[in-house]
Amino acid sequence: MSRVQIGLPERFAFATELALYIGHINYGGHLDNALLLTLVSEARVRYFKSLGYSELDVEGCGIVLADAAVQYRSEAFHGETMRIEMAPANFHARGFDLVWRMSERDTGREVARGKSGILFFDYARRKVMPVPEAFVRRVSGP
């Protein structure tokens, strides 16, 4: 079986920090793999909020998660603070990839990297929508 390989951008557009609580830790004494994705979800909410959006209103559209890929790099432990960096990439007609890296804040040790496939969605009509051009302009920078 081939391993998941996720390339990272040269720079990330956004970063936030999240502390690891005892509830994030599994029987092995480290960050639970499923709960890592809850941290990434919180970071994604913060990313959209930093742009003035919510996940239900990005230029009039909501978003849904179409897929997710994770490459685990090292353990993380109770009491550590994770720095999660995010950047949009690979735009297509109905969405994009939100690429991310999670590192331990104080040492810079990479814990995981991944991508979340985002689709734009009209919740009232239950239909996938085109990427809003205003969103693309906003995240593409100057």
Side-chain angles (χ1 to χ4, degrees):
M1 180 170 100
S2 63
R3 300 282 315 266
V4 171
Q5 297 294 319
I6 298 166
L8 298 177
E10 288 185 24
R11 74 170 199 86
F12 288 91
F14 172 81
T16 191
E17 295 180 354
L18 294 165
L20 295 186
Y21 300 119
I22 196 64
H24 295 120
I25 307 305
N26 66 15
Y27 59 87
H30 55 234
L31 175 61
D32 184 273
N33 63 349
L35 294 175
L36 178 142
L37 291 174
T38 66
L39 297 170
V40 172
S41 292
E42 174 64 24
R44 185 184 66 241
V45 168
R46 292 179 184 191
Y47 168 72
F48 280 105
K49 187 175 182 179
S50 77
L51 295 168
Y53 301 125
S54 77
E55 291 189 320
L56 292 174
D57 186 4
V58 179
E59 302 294 339
C61 293
I63 64 163
V64 293
L65 190 67
D67 57 50
V70 179
Q71 197 177 352
Y72 298 98
R73 310 287 283 188
S74 68
E75 295 177 292
F77 302 99
H78 175 251
E80 290 183 327
T81 299
M82 298 295 105
R83 177 177 170 82
I84 304 170
E85 301 166 284
M86 298 186 144
N90 307 319
F91 277 90
H92 55 87
R94 301 194 184 280
F96 67 102
D97 289 335
L98 189 57
V99 180
W100 56 266
R101 174 175 54 203
M102 180 184 293
S103 304
E104 198 282 322
R105 179 193 63 196
D106 296 336
T107 65
R109 181 185 77 251
E110 186 176 356
V111 172
R113 61 176 62 185
K115 70 136 196 122
S116 302
I118 306 290
L119 294 176
F120 289 88
F121 194 74
D122 182 331
Y123 279 92
R125 295 171 42 208
R126 316 305 298 176
K127 182 179 174 185
V128 176
M129 302 297 292
V131 176
E133 285 299 320
F135 176 75
V136 174
R137 285 192 304 274
R138 182 155 195 179
V139 300
S140 295

